[in-house]
Amino acid sequence: NLVAKTRAKSERSTDLTKKYITWGAGPRASQYLVLGAKCHAALRGKFSPDIEDVKAVAIPILRHRLVKNYKAEADGYSMERIIESLL
């Protein structure tokens, strides 16, 4: 669901996505979010990841998989701010 929100043409995309994202995350981003969340949970002694683990790894994983447009730059939106708004 989170990765679908990053794609401007997705029915799940937000207004912020449509306004500031040129290229959204692909299927591999979903795979890496799951792997990252599992690792994050394991490092904290949990047997299974939850949404908090996904949120903890979302910015580092999605930061380089999205491409923001010139309007995001002009309005001062960082990639981190955009991703946080999707969470």
Side-chain angles (χ1 to χ4, degrees), residues 12-77:
R12 295 182 181 152
S13 67
T14 65
D15 290 335
L16 193 76
T17 300
K18 292 174 184 172
K19 187 174 181 180
Y20 293 130
I21 299 292
T22 299
W23 190 263
R28 274 187 284 166
S30 297
Q31 293 171 338
Y32 287 113
L33 281 170
V34 171
L35 286 173
K38 286 180 178 182
C39 290
H40 190 267
L43 289 170
R44 278 149 185 78
K46 297 182 345 187
F47 294 107
S48 176
D50 57 20
I51 192 64
E52 295 307 315
D53 296 304
V54 175
K55 288 179 179 180
V57 299
I59 291 175
I61 290 173
L62 295 177
R63 182 186 301 133
H64 71 281
R65 296 184 180 275
L66 305 176
V67 178
K68 62 183 178 175
N69 61 22
Y70 71 93
K71 184 146 181 63
E73 285 289 328
D75 290 347
Y77 273 79

